[in-house]
Amino acid sequence: MKEKRFPRSKIGWIWDNIKGLRGMLIIAMIGTVLYNFLQLTVPFFSQLIVDRFLTGENAGANFDAHRSEFYTLIAAMIGITLLRALIVYLDCMAYEHVSQRALYRIRNFLFEKIERQDMHFYNEYRTGDLMTRLTGDLDAVRHNIAWVIRMIIECFALFTAVSIYFFSMNVKLALCILALAPVIFVIVFCFRKKVAPMHQLLREKHAQMNTAAQENISGNRVVKAFSREDHEIDKFDQINREYAETNKKTRLVWVKFFPFVETCANLLPVVLLWVGGTLLMQDEMTMGEYVAFSGLMWAIANPMRLLGNILNEFQRFSAAADKVMEIYYSEPSIVDAPDAIDHPDRFIGKVEFKDVSFSYEDSDLPVLSGISFVANPGETIAIMGETGCGKTSLIQLIPRFYEPTSGEVLVDDLNVNTLKLRQLRTSIGMATQDVLLYSDTIDGNIAYGDSNLTKENVVKFARYSAADEFVSKMPDGYNTIVGERGVGLSGGQKQRISLARALAIRPSILILDDTTSAVDMETEKQIQKSLSELDFPCTKIIIAQRISTTKKADKILILQDGKISEEGTHDELIRKNGYYAELVRLQTGQEVIQ
Ligand code: GTP
Ligand code: MG
């Protein structure tokens, strides 16, 4: 798999994100080292007690003469054990605090990144995949700080401390026991190579599963309409099974290595018995030292046994961090120019296209070519053309959702590339073709672009868009909660709420993309009347299929294969007797008078 290059290493990236908490993490790490070193005190005291009071030459006499020393050693053992428990407790709290704060911080940062991305980003990433990054992947990152780092330090500290202690007691026995360490390194190296790709695959499967679930839940109406529940359930079962299988396979990788590690771990007491026993018999070590070796054997064996788990978790973190960092370091290509013009006043609403051509980044096919037109302030421009001819693509260039491949789009005679995105977009009211309402009240949806909008104004804009009548009839009126994506409203009702939302920001430029297509003729007439009587100046760019919507426009543009083929008023275009005149004939069923 291709390695992604990021400005920071994974650990460096975590370091950046624990700013203000670094001191606490370092103290926690020192705490980990400390409580692991303290592990040695109990066997150390045991060794002293055994040698002095239990097995030494004058054990009995020592015990009688230094009874208080014996009890002091026992009390010290209890005291240190309690102190150790306290350090472990505080340590775990500190790791948890740091990891949760980092998680919170990165998640907010990531959400902001996603929120501010451009259209290309949303074309590229699937919702389920992004959700996985914000949830499961981030949790793997948190787990790395809270558990993996602690475990690595714990294993190292314990191993180092015990090794030093072993060497200080008996070099020969220490060497024989630690001779197994290189074997463990080889095993770890091989395991890491095998398990790393498995974790990447596992993470992909997880994202696929989330995507399938998300698409099915949000698209449930289509599933129901086609009675495809069984098919979707089977499909999900397949993805879920693949995920479970991959999970199992990943876990099982360690099983292949585990017997080797276990053998090494089980060999340790044998080495101790054999070498230690011999040394004991040759009087090269004391019984107390032997007890200390024996009592600490677990401190060498445990890190060996834990290695698989730690490496597994580290690889899970590594695969997840790649995905999170990809979004973390991504930059939208459409951003404010460094010298973007500040336009504090209200735009007067002139829109001009100068020889604009456009194609989507992911395809070479030209969608628009040589588009030039002017919409003067206050004018209504209608855009018509058959489906797929590029109408939606054209209007998306005005708020700079995309940038033209060549040519210029100007608002108030300024190239949109030179304007501040926020100022440009807050001046444009847009009702998109694919209506998306939030699961909120109708009132909240209308006031989406201006949260200070008064109740009266919400009603006023709902009247403009002929929505007030049906909203008033609802039991909860404007407080009615609409479901996700506007579930619970008819297509035409959704369109009218979306129009009210676009109008509510009092835009200088209003863009309607097929916004009244699902509204009956009578209501549409009412909307058109309101639009011509708005109490603020506004240039309107309206995409529509119906002649009744476009007839009164100051200018009608006919788009064919991404080019403007006809341009003029209703009467002018009828005289032209081209595509528009044919459309009139088709829709009215009348021969047009030329
Ligand atoms: P209707 O809304 O159906 O009336 O069509 P339209 O005139 O609004 O067409 P639109 O501008 O949406 O699409 C014009 C062409 O661009 C079509 O051939 C689409 O297939 C293509 N297109 C639209 N969106 C995308 C996109 O995100 N990526 C790519 N590669 N092509 C796109
Ligand atoms: Mg369209």
Side-chain angles (χ1 to χ4, degrees):
M1 220 171 271
K2 203 175 75 188
E3 274 282 313
K4 290 224 161 58
R5 289 251 138 252
F6 298 117
R8 299 282 278 147
S9 68
K10 284 172 195 137
I11 299 298
W13 170 67
I14 288 183
W15 187 248
D16 291 346
N17 278 291
I18 54 166
K19 205 165 170 228
L21 299 160
R22 291 171 187 164
M24 187 181 272
L25 185 66
I26 291 171
I27 292 173
M29 288 167 155
I30 295 171
T32 311
V33 175
L34 186 68
Y35 78 67
N36 280 294
F37 270 76
L38 284 179
Q39 303 253 41
L40 302 188
T41 51
V42 173
F44 175 69
F45 287 131
S46 311
Q47 178 206 341
L48 282 184
I49 291 172
V50 170
D51 280 346
R52 214 153 166 191
F53 302 108
L54 302 180
T55 62
E57 279 173 15
N58 307 313
N62 274 346
F63 186 72
D64 290 334
H66 305 282
R67 201 174 277 254
S68 66
E69 197 182 320
F70 174 77
Y71 289 121
T72 312
L73 281 173
I74 298 282
M77 275 168 82
I78 296 171
I80 286 172
T81 307
L82 289 177
L83 176 69
R84 204 184 148 262
L86 181 70
I87 297 177
V88 172
Y89 170 75
L90 293 175
D91 217 41
C92 288
M93 296 272 284
Y95 280 114
E96 204 51 49
H97 179 74
V98 174
S99 67
Q100 290 292 355
R101 288 290 303 171
L103 177 75
Y104 163 81
R105 228 178 248 177
I106 300 173
R107 189 176 280 148
N108 259 357
F109 186 87
L110 230 50
F111 184 75
E112 194 181 326
K113 269 273 156 148
I114 294 174
E115 224 18 55
R116 296 190 191 285
Q117 279 294 347
D118 53 32
M119 293 289 184
H120 295 302
F121 178 88
Y122 287 99
N123 285 347
E124 191 179 335
Y125 291 97
R126 293 160 305 168
T127 312
D129 185 67
L130 290 176
M131 293 301 292
T132 311
R133 293 176 203 234
L134 279 173
T135 52
D137 288 341
L138 262 185
D139 194 64
V141 173
R142 185 202 63 79
H143 186 65
N144 184 61
I145 304 174
W147 191 84
V148 181
I149 293 184
R150 180 160 76 90
M151 280 300 135
I152 292 174
I153 296 177
E154 181 157 333
C155 287
F156 263 102
L158 202 59
F159 198 86
T160 316
V162 173
S163 306
I164 295 171
Y165 186 39
F166 279 5
F167 276 108
S168 73
M169 285 192 295
N170 193 299
V171 178
K172 272 191 205 159
L173 183 57
L175 275 176
C176 291
I177 287 173
L178 297 177
L180 289 167
V183 182
I184 300 291
F185 280 122
V186 174
I187 293 173
V188 167
F189 181 75
C190 297
F191 172 64
R192 203 193 83 88
K193 260 185 95 177
K194 276 233 163 10
V195 86
M198 292 300 295
H199 276 283
Q200 278 161 356
L201 186 68
L202 186 65
R203 197 255 150 223
E204 286 310 317
K205 297 277 176 209
H206 191 201
Q208 275 172 20
M209 195 172 67
N210 280 355
T211 304
Q214 180 265 330
E215 280 177 1
N216 264 282
I217 294 164
S218 60
N220 192 262
R221 284 174 181 230
V222 180
V223 179
K224 289 225 176 333
F226 287 87
S227 279
R228 296 290 277 175
E229 287 95 339
D230 290 341
H231 168 76
E232 291 299 336
I233 291 167
D234 287 346
K235 227 167 79 182
F236 187 78
D237 177 70
Q238 171 73 18
I239 299 173
N240 191 10
R241 188 172 315 154
E242 281 174 22
Y243 175 62
E245 286 292 322
T246 315
N247 221 335
K248 196 170 88 188
K249 270 191 208 153
T250 311
R251 297 281 153 196
L252 287 182
V253 178
W254 182 240
V255 173
K256 287 194 191 125
F257 291 88
F258 191 67
F260 298 103
V261 173
E262 195 56 29
T263 310
C264 289
N266 289 338
L267 274 177
L268 291 174
V270 181
V271 176
L272 175 71
L273 254 170
W274 183 17
V275 184
T278 316
L279 291 171
L280 202 59
M281 280 185 279
Q282 291 168 354
D283 265 350
E284 282 189 45
M285 69 190 282
T286 65
M287 189 61 199
E289 285 169 343
Y290 185 89
V291 170
F293 265 104
S294 167
L296 279 173
M297 210 44 95
W298 65 268
I300 300 285
N302 266 16
M304 287 183 186
R305 294 197 172 102
L306 257 176
L307 265 177
N309 225 342
I310 295 173
L311 262 173
N312 250 330
E313 290 302 322
F314 187 77
Q315 289 308 326
R316 185 167 86 92
F317 154 74
S318 186
D322 274 335
K323 295 291 170 181
V324 175
M325 287 167 80
E326 191 182 316
I327 307 292
Y328 191 94
Y329 289 115
S330 65
E331 287 300 337
S333 48
I334 297 180
V335 288
D336 281 351
D339 52 352
I341 301 165
D342 198 20
H343 194 293
D345 306 324
R346 186 182 162 85
F347 283 89
I348 57 165
K350 184 179 175 192
V351 177
E352 185 172 1
F353 275 56
K354 273 191 188 165
D355 199 20
V356 168
S357 297
F358 172 69
S359 57
Y360 287 97
E361 233 176 38
D362 52 358
S363 107
D364 296 334
L365 288 176
V367 174
L368 299 170
S369 46
I371 304 281
S372 298
F373 72 90
V374 181
N376 286 310
E379 275 187 349
T380 299
I381 305 289
I383 304 175
M384 300 181 86
E386 50 196 46
T387 176
C389 66
K391 302 181 294 294
T392 303
S393 308
L394 184 148
I395 52 127
Q396 285 185 337
L397 300 178
I398 306 171
R400 219 179 138 209
F401 288 163
Y402 295 99
E403 285 178 341
T405 352
S406 68
E408 279 184 290
V409 177
L410 304 127
V411 167
D412 284 11
D413 295 321
L414 298 166
N415 190 325
V416 287
N417 295 358
T418 63
L419 294 169
K420 289 200 166 151
L421 272 179
R422 196 181 147 73
Q423 286 175 346
L424 172 70
R425 289 180 183 167
T426 50
S427 305
I428 299 173
M430 199 162 184
T432 51
Q433 194 168 13
D434 175 20
V435 179
L436 190 138
L437 300 180
Y438 286 95
S439 35
D440 190 1
T441 57
I442 291 182
D443 175 84
N445 267 294
I446 294 179
Y448 184 72
D450 177 5
S451 22
N452 296 323
L453 202 68
T454 60
K455 198 91 192 167
E456 294 82 64
N457 278 330
V458 168
V459 176
K460 185 178 87 181
F461 289 114
R463 285 211 179 105
Y464 278 152
S465 67
D468 179 56
E469 205 182 315
F470 80 83
V471 177
S472 309
K473 280 187 197 147
M474 292 179 151
D476 292 329
Y478 283 87
N479 291 326
T480 309
I481 306 257
V482 290
E484 203 181 345
R485 295 181 76 90
V487 171
L489 295 177
S490 76
Q493 287 172 337
K494 274 196 269 184
Q495 286 187 335
R496 281 181 273 170
I497 302 282
S498 133
L499 173 59
R501 177 172 63 186
L503 286 171
I505 59 165
R506 291 187 171 81
S508 304
I509 301 161
L510 178 72
I511 301 175
L512 306 182
D513 193 350
D514 249 352
T515 303
T516 48
S517 61
V519 176
D520 63 274
M521 300 287 238
E522 200 49 45
T523 314
E524 195 196 354
K525 222 173 182 176
Q526 211 181 316
I527 295 173
Q528 272 179 19
K529 188 166 174 293
S530 311
L531 288 181
S532 63
E533 292 167 358
L534 294 177
D535 62 358
F536 54 90
C538 173
T539 309
K540 291 152 215 125
I541 298 181
I542 300 175
I543 297 177
Q545 302 292 349
R546 285 193 206 145
I547 300 293
S548 57
T549 322
T550 59
K551 206 165 145 183
K552 291 199 178 131
D554 296 297
K555 197 184 285 168
I556 302 165
L557 307 177
I558 303 294
L559 214 59
Q560 279 179 306
D561 295 328
K563 293 189 186 80
I564 295 178
S565 60
E566 292 171 34
E567 180 177 353
T569 61
H570 174 77
D571 293 334
E572 283 166 0
L573 291 188
I574 283 182
R575 274 197 294 277
K576 230 177 173 184
N577 201 19
Y579 177 89
Y580 185 78
E582 180 61 27
L583 214 60
V584 175
R585 269 195 290 275
L586 278 171
Q587 290 192 14
T588 58
Q590 292 168 8
E591 274 303 309
V592 286
I593 305 125
Q594 289 182 32

